[in-house]
Amino acid sequence: MKPAMETAVEENTEQSQEKKGCFECCIKCLGGVPYASLVATILCFSGVALFCGCGHVALTGTVSILEQHFSTNTSDHALLSEVIQLMQYVIYGIASFFFLYGIILLAEGFYTTSAVKELHGEFKTTACGRCISGMFVFLTYVLGVAWLGVFGFSAVPVFMFYNIWSTCEVIKSLQTNMTASGDQICVDVRQYGIIPWNAVPGRACGPILENICNTNEFYMSYHLFIVACAGAGATVIALLIYMMATTYNYAVLKFKSREDCCTKF
């Protein structure tokens, strides 16, 4: 029988080896996590959620403001209502697509990062894997350019609402200082092209405009459009991170495939 001292030393050695093995396994797993893709996915989900959720409610509030204050005739804004309804359906599609696309990009990030870290052996050099990575690189670039356009488009209602709000602030300052009357200060939304020029009344002046700015619909729509624009900007940043991550992973996979090809001869 072994002495108690030797038995204790062997047990301690086995425990230390097990701990070392678990530690190395954890380090290896952490090394395969695509941190850039993970951050981009969280940012993309957050940005798309803000853009789609806030944009949907803000569009509904905009229609309500136009119907109540700027276009009392239903036929004048019938086309605009149909366009906004179509945009709301498009928002549903964008939310669904990017929820799925974000998950796929995260999975692709896990695959390519693990392949670069050589966690799957020869699987990293398959032509199918490189083709899929290249496809995602191209698709992400296209979506990034498209979201730049979405970001610019989402800034248009923010600009329009800001002009209306700033005009109301001018009217308030005139009334506070009693320097002049604000009755002649007007906002004509027909100049933005969202309703036709024959829409009645088409514009609001003085106290009427100030009352519009004090309504809950205007306040909520204005701030929701700002948040939606910020969400679109966050999505653009997320896609830029995706671009860099997928391009880097694809380049490394391409380099490793050539390296493996050369070492076979």
Side-chain angles (χ1 to χ4, degrees):
M1 296 180 63
K2 294 182 179 180
M5 182 75 67
E6 293 181 1
T7 303
V9 170
E10 289 179 357
E11 290 179 355
N12 291 333
T13 303
E14 290 177 357
Q15 291 177 359
S16 62
Q17 288 178 351
E18 290 179 358
K19 290 181 180 179
K20 184 178 180 181
C22 292
F23 178 75
E24 291 178 351
C25 181
C26 292
I27 293 299
K28 188 176 182 180
C29 292
L30 291 175
V33 176
Y35 294 102
S37 297
L38 183 62
V39 172
T41 301
I42 296 173
L43 190 61
C44 182
F45 282 172
S46 302
V48 172
L50 289 175
F51 173 79
C52 294
C54 296
H56 183 275
V57 179
L59 288 173
T60 303
T62 302
V63 173
S64 177
I65 294 172
L66 291 174
E67 289 178 348
Q68 295 178 12
H69 305 288
F70 294 100
S71 181
T72 56
N73 190 357
T74 306
S75 61
D76 291 337
H77 58 266
L79 179 60
L80 176 65
S81 300
E82 293 178 359
V83 171
I84 289 179
Q85 186 176 8
L86 178 62
M87 291 174 62
Q88 290 176 333
Y89 285 119
V90 171
I91 285 175
Y92 295 145
I94 291 175
S96 302
F97 172 78
F98 272 90
F99 177 77
L100 179 62
Y101 188 70
I103 294 176
I104 293 175
L105 276 184
L106 183 61
E108 192 271 343
F110 271 102
Y111 159 72
T112 52
T113 303
S114 299
V116 169
K117 297 292 185 179
E118 301 183 3
L119 299 180
H120 295 298
E122 293 298 323
F123 187 59
K124 67 179 181 298
T125 61
T126 58
C128 180
R130 295 193 302 273
C131 180
I132 292 175
S133 297
M135 180 191 69
F136 279 117
V137 170
F138 174 76
L139 185 57
T140 305
Y141 271 90
V142 173
L143 290 175
V145 174
W147 267 96
L148 282 174
V150 173
F151 175 68
F153 179 76
S154 63
V156 174
V158 176
F159 172 76
M160 183 184 72
F161 273 81
Y162 174 76
N163 283 342
I164 298 175
W165 174 81
S166 60
T167 305
C168 290
E169 291 299 312
V170 171
I171 296 174
K172 290 180 181 179
S173 64
L174 292 177
Q175 292 178 349
T176 302
N177 298 327
M178 302 184 65
T179 56
S181 175
D183 295 341
Q184 302 301 319
I185 300 177
C186 305
V187 168
D188 193 340
V189 298
R190 293 174 294 186
Q191 63 181 332
Y192 299 107
I194 57 177
I195 56 176
W197 281 104
N198 58 355
V200 178
R203 66 174 186 171
C205 304
I208 297 177
L209 179 60
E210 185 180 356
N211 291 333
I212 293 174
C213 293
N214 291 330
T215 59
N216 292 328
E217 290 85 1
F218 180 86
Y219 179 83
M220 289 295 297
S221 298
Y222 179 33
H223 289 84
L224 286 175
F225 273 126
I226 293 175
V227 176
C229 185
T235 307
V236 172
I237 296 174
L239 289 173
L240 289 176
I241 298 174
Y242 275 135
M243 288 180 195
M244 293 185 289
T246 54
T247 303
Y248 170 78
N249 288 332
Y250 176 74
V252 173
L253 287 177
K254 195 73 174 178
F255 175 77
K256 282 184 172 290
S257 66
R258 293 180 180 178
E259 186 181 51
D260 294 340
C261 179
C262 294
T263 55
K264 290 179 181 179
F265 294 97

